[in-house]
Amino acid sequence: MSMTFADLSLAPALLSALAEAGYVTPTPIQAQSIPLLLEGRDLLGMAQTGTGKTASFALPLLHRLAASPRPAPRNGARVLVLAPTRELVSQIADGFESFGRHLNISVTTIFGGVSQMHQTNALRDGVDIIVAAPGRLLDLVSQGLCDLSQLEALVLDEADQMLDMGFAKPIERIVATLPQDRHTVLLSATMPKSIATLAESLLRDPAKVEIAPPSTTVDRIEQSVMFVDAANKKTALLELLRTPGIGQAVVFTLQKNIANEVCTFITEAGFTAEALHGNKSQGQRERALDAFRAGTAQVLVATDIAARGIDVDTVTHVFNHDLPSLPESYVHRIGRTGRAGRTGFAITLCDAEQRAWLRDVEREIGRSLSVHEDHPWHSEEARNSTMRPPLLGGTPPKEVKPQEKRVRKVWTEEEKQAARAAAKAAGGAA
Ligand code: AMP
């Protein structure tokens, strides 16, 4: 018989909350991490979103808080979770609140882009759990508005992304204010040297848990590409959205204005859709995500900024209206489907200008995508294109992979004649 949460010796209040959330069987990372964290071991976990990693630390930490009740320290907290983006911060806090609903536990979120007054008010009397993005938290710590000297446990979630986003220094400065004697968990989707070094400086004799390398989620996603002309993309997308069997879909676009255009286009065609991108205020982004989570919006049209934060199990399809300019974004985008063990579909629309980016993506994932040809918009021109990809405005991305040198073919006179003859022969035969 497979293991259930009841086998993990969690507090009854947590088991009830899990049952109410419909969780029965722990995922592999939960089955492995929860007993170790209940024992108080430090943990180094390699796992990405979609594996159930949030519950893997939230449940044992809630259990430990409840097992040794004490007032939360003024201006501080008993548990701190650091995460890279405000979307992830909110999601983790929602997880703590949902699992801890039958416990008397307070949770607060801290991130930038919104007024800090609310956050400092929430902190004044102390909270059990802070979930924070490192930048704003460090601001509050530096202003003396947050005191973490009584902290009992620290979690760093998606540590690799935090380092990628330049949070190494803020993390270091926050950690310098924490007590040495604490319980620490570090989770990361990848384990580059920088993470190994960070882990060494933060963790004491950590247990190691490694779950499902990123390809496992991707393996559950059926990926394909349709070659279409740029002018036909919106219509093709609309037809795809009308395919029976689509639950909820995320559409990715290259730029904010395209996200808005696509959102308007499909809304006018009768879909409920929300756009999510960096030009939207925090409130608008939260409302869009809430509507999508609640199912009142069937389609979310997003730019890459939002890719990591979208965690909705019912997403059956990801459509790439545009290829991403950075191949690794493709992997984050398609990871919005195929969650919680389900199968997902990712269909990419590729026009002539973005053809080179498709090659980059295929190199990144180590395989070529299967091509859908059987549709009215199929474009051989897009498929065979050797055009340069568009130059994007704004600041260039931090890490641009060197582009392959593209050699433009120069035709010799003999080749031109041979090609003309072949064309004539083909025309004559038809
Ligand atoms: P995470 O990796 O924490 O982002 O979790 C991915 C998704 O899996 C979340 O939306 C959870 O609701 C869901 N999930 C996590 N653990 C379980 C479980 N044991 N049973 C069912 N669903 C789960």
Side-chain angles (χ1 to χ4, degrees):
M1 229 182 67
S2 63
M3 183 192 249
T4 66
F5 281 106
D7 300 322
L8 291 173
S9 329
L10 290 164
L14 291 171
L15 294 179
S16 323
L18 284 168
E20 286 151 20
Y23 286 26
V24 181
T25 316
T27 65
I29 191 170
Q30 292 161 3
Q32 291 184 45
S33 305
I34 292 173
L36 293 163
L37 294 178
L38 286 176
E39 271 174 34
R41 288 288 301 273
D42 278 4
L43 183 86
L44 174 60
M46 192 165 151
Q48 63 163 20
T49 43
T51 53
K53 67 182 167 66
T54 313
S56 77
F57 60 81
L59 292 168
L61 290 178
L62 284 164
H63 179 101
R64 286 172 66 93
L65 286 181
S68 58
R70 68 173 64 104
R74 277 182 65 75
N75 297 315
R78 300 182 64 190
V79 171
L80 167 65
V81 182
L82 291 176
T85 61
R86 46 194 179 185
E87 279 83 7
L88 190 62
V89 163
S90 304
Q91 249 169 57
I92 296 169
D94 288 350
F96 273 104
E97 272 169 356
S98 148
F99 303 134
R101 57 193 291 200
H102 300 304
L103 299 169
N104 191 15
I105 294 277
S106 53
V107 184
T108 201
T109 56
I110 291 181
F111 45 71
V114 293
S115 138
Q116 72 173 41
M117 202 178 69
H118 238 69
Q119 301 173 347
T120 49
N121 284 346
L123 279 182
R124 197 156 301 138
D125 295 329
V127 286
D128 294 304
I129 299 161
I130 294 178
V131 189
R136 170 61 66 88
L137 182 68
L138 179 60
D139 279 354
L140 300 188
V141 170
S142 316
Q143 294 171 59
L145 298 169
C146 180
D147 168 12
L148 298 167
S149 59
Q150 307 291 313
L151 196 81
E152 295 165 43
L154 166 71
V155 179
L156 288 98
D157 194 13
E158 302 213 350
D160 51 352
Q161 200 195 349
M162 288 202 279
L163 295 193
D164 283 351
M165 291 171 71
F167 285 139
K169 274 273 170 260
I171 291 173
E172 194 184 303
R173 292 177 57 197
I174 291 166
V175 168
T177 72
L178 308 182
Q180 293 281 339
D181 181 23
R182 57 159 202 268
H183 187 191
T184 309
V185 180
L186 188 153
L187 295 174
S188 184
T190 56
M191 209 52 67
K193 194 151 185 309
S194 54
I195 293 291
T197 311
L198 183 69
E200 212 162 289
S201 72
L202 295 182
L203 304 170
R204 274 184 315 199
D205 181 28
K208 294 188 180 120
V209 171
E210 184 177 331
I211 301 297
S215 62
T216 323
T217 315
V218 175
D219 283 343
R220 284 200 307 271
I221 303 171
E222 278 189 33
Q223 305 169 56
S224 56
V225 60
M226 286 168 57
F227 290 106
V228 295
D229 293 333
N232 290 331
K233 276 189 167 180
K234 285 215 254 334
T235 319
L237 174 70
L238 188 59
E239 282 313 306
L240 285 171
L241 286 170
R242 288 184 172 140
T243 317
I246 296 190
Q248 281 185 293
V250 184
V251 176
F252 283 102
T253 65
L254 188 57
Q255 282 151 326
K256 300 165 206 159
N257 58 331
I258 312 179
N260 288 336
E261 274 171 32
V262 168
C263 189
T264 309
F265 184 75
I266 60 179
T267 305
E268 282 170 358
F271 283 92
T272 47
E274 294 280 348
L276 190 70
H277 53 65
N279 269 8
K280 301 267 177 182
S281 69
Q282 172 67 10
Q284 286 171 320
R285 283 160 69 158
E286 267 166 22
R287 276 194 296 282
L289 267 176
D290 284 347
F292 192 61
R293 275 197 200 104
T296 46
Q298 193 190 348
V299 185
L300 193 65
V301 188
T303 55
D304 283 308
I305 285 222
R308 289 228 192 200
I310 305 167
D311 168 27
V312 180
D313 294 344
T314 46
V315 173
T316 55
H317 288 69
V318 166
F319 296 111
N320 290 315
H321 177 273
D322 301 290
L323 266 299
S325 57
L326 291 177
E328 52 271 35
S329 302
Y330 175 85
V331 181
H332 295 308
R333 287 177 174 196
I334 68 167
R336 300 312 99 201
T337 182
R339 300 180 73 79
R342 296 182 172 92
T343 307
F345 297 86
I347 303 178
T348 298
L349 301 178
C350 179
D351 62 32
E353 250 199 335
Q354 297 177 357
R355 182 68 180 89
W357 287 344
L358 178 64
R359 291 189 191 99
D360 293 344
V361 163
E362 292 182 328
R363 205 172 303 129
E364 171 87 11
I365 61 174
R367 61 168 132 156
S368 42
L369 300 185
S370 65
V371 180
H372 270 320
E373 286 181 41
D374 192 15
H375 58 83
W377 307 280
H378 178 70
S379 162
E380 277 298 306
E381 199 189 329
R383 179 189 228 157
N384 299 322
S385 163
T386 53
M387 269 167 91
R388 282 179 178 281
L391 280 176
L392 299 177
T395 31
K398 203 171 50 173
E399 221 183 303
V400 183
K401 295 207 170 146
Q403 291 277 330
E404 269 191 7
K405 209 170 159 191
R406 269 176 250 289
V407 183
R408 182 161 298 169
K409 177 145 176 61
V410 182
W411 291 65
T412 63
E413 220 20 72
E414 289 83 13
E415 280 174 327
K416 279 189 202 157
Q417 274 174 13
R420 277 189 213 112
K424 209 169 171 188

